[in-house]
Amino acid sequence: MVRYIALLMGEASGVGPEMIIKALQVVDHKVYGGIIVVGDLNLFKKVARDIELPLPFTAYVSSDEDLASRQKEGENHIFYDLQLIDMDLFKYGVISENTGRATYACTAKAVQLIQDSFACSLVTVPLDARAITMAGIKENRYQTMLPEFCSSARGLNMLDSSGVKIFSHTHHVPLRKALEEKTIEKILDTIIHVDSLTTNERVFDVEKPLAIAS
């Protein structure tokens, strides 16, 4: 059975869509499993034309029913179209209420897909907090949006760099708050949490050590 990753488009006017199109030209789905990109199809069509690359998707869906059908067929690169961007007003590098609301909606949808077992993990690309604020949304970063969507105060961020997977004990918090989090008990709690996640997921090499930096 194919395991799927939910991948967000990030800020529509930023680098996210281009990064995704280029990355999926070469990504090996046998290593990472299937990928569901959550975004706006008309936007991705424009970006693909402008960078002169083909869209790298094997299926396009606009409902959970369509998604379930395509997953059953074993499609590897699925695009989930939410039709969020007004292309008549869209400009590269120009954030807006529209692009901010799109980022928020894509994040909410991706979390729902994970909760409903369509995907097993979430991968993000850069957003622009200013655009989300322009849309009147208080939770303008992934670190604040995800706990709201998941009804959980606990979350972990992971950066994958050349095969090294780095989890953050603290992330985007004031310096004083970061210092307050540096206690033996809290660090040990993070270590235990990371260990429980990495031991149960096949994408991690459990033969390698868990290193802690301060």
Side-chain angles (χ1 to χ4, degrees):
M1 181 178 179
V2 178
R3 291 161 60 89
Y4 288 86
I5 293 171
L7 175 57
L8 299 176
M9 73 173 182
E11 167 55 41
S13 68
V15 299
E18 180 178 346
M19 288 171 56
I20 291 170
I21 291 171
K22 289 181 175 179
L24 293 188
Q25 306 289 330
V26 297
V27 71
D28 185 355
H29 69 271
K30 294 179 181 179
V31 176
Y32 290 99
I35 295 174
I36 307 167
V37 173
V38 182
D40 184 284
L41 182 55
N42 287 329
L43 168 67
F44 273 71
K45 286 180 177 179
K46 172 177 172 55
V47 174
R49 287 194 303 268
D50 292 343
I51 63 176
E52 299 181 343
L53 284 175
L55 286 173
F57 308 106
T58 60
Y60 300 88
V61 302
S62 57
S63 71
D64 290 1
E65 291 75 18
D66 288 343
L67 177 59
S69 177
R70 296 298 178 268
Q71 288 184 321
K72 187 175 181 180
E73 294 168 1
E75 298 289 357
N76 296 316
H77 294 167
I78 303 173
F79 192 95
Y80 200 119
D81 182 21
L82 295 184
Q83 299 182 9
L84 297 165
I85 304 299
D86 185 342
M87 297 306 297
D88 292 333
L89 302 177
F90 175 79
K91 291 183 180 179
Y92 291 122
V94 178
I95 63 171
S96 67
E97 174 184 339
N98 186 206
T99 64
R101 187 174 291 108
T103 300
Y104 187 82
C106 285
T107 307
K109 183 61 183 180
V111 170
Q112 176 255 305
L113 292 178
I114 294 172
Q115 292 172 330
D116 291 343
S117 300
F118 289 104
C120 62
S121 59
L122 176 68
V123 175
T124 64
V125 297
L127 55 70
D128 194 310
R130 298 170 301 172
I132 300 173
T133 300
M134 289 171 67
I137 300 168
K138 180 181 178 181
E139 293 76 16
N140 61 5
R141 296 184 182 277
Y142 293 127
Q143 291 74 26
T144 53
M145 280 191 277
L146 294 177
E148 177 194 13
F149 298 143
C150 299
S151 299
S152 172
R154 181 67 186 271
L156 281 175
N157 297 279
M158 187 191 80
L159 171 67
D160 190 332
S161 178
S162 301
V164 178
K165 296 172 175 58
I166 304 168
F167 290 89
S168 301
H169 176 62
T170 60
H171 195 80
H172 281 294
V173 297
L175 180 57
R176 167 115 11 225
K177 175 69 173 176
L179 293 173
E180 292 172 353
E181 293 296 314
K182 299 301 187 292
T183 66
I184 292 176
E185 293 78 13
K186 290 181 178 180
I187 293 175
L188 180 59
D189 182 59
T190 294
I191 293 172
I192 293 172
H193 195 188
V194 170
D195 180 66
S196 66
L197 289 174
T198 55
T199 300
N200 295 324
E201 293 292 338
R202 66 177 178 85
V203 296
F204 298 98
D205 185 349
V206 295
E207 297 300 319
K208 294 183 178 180
L210 176 65
I212 308 299
S214 63

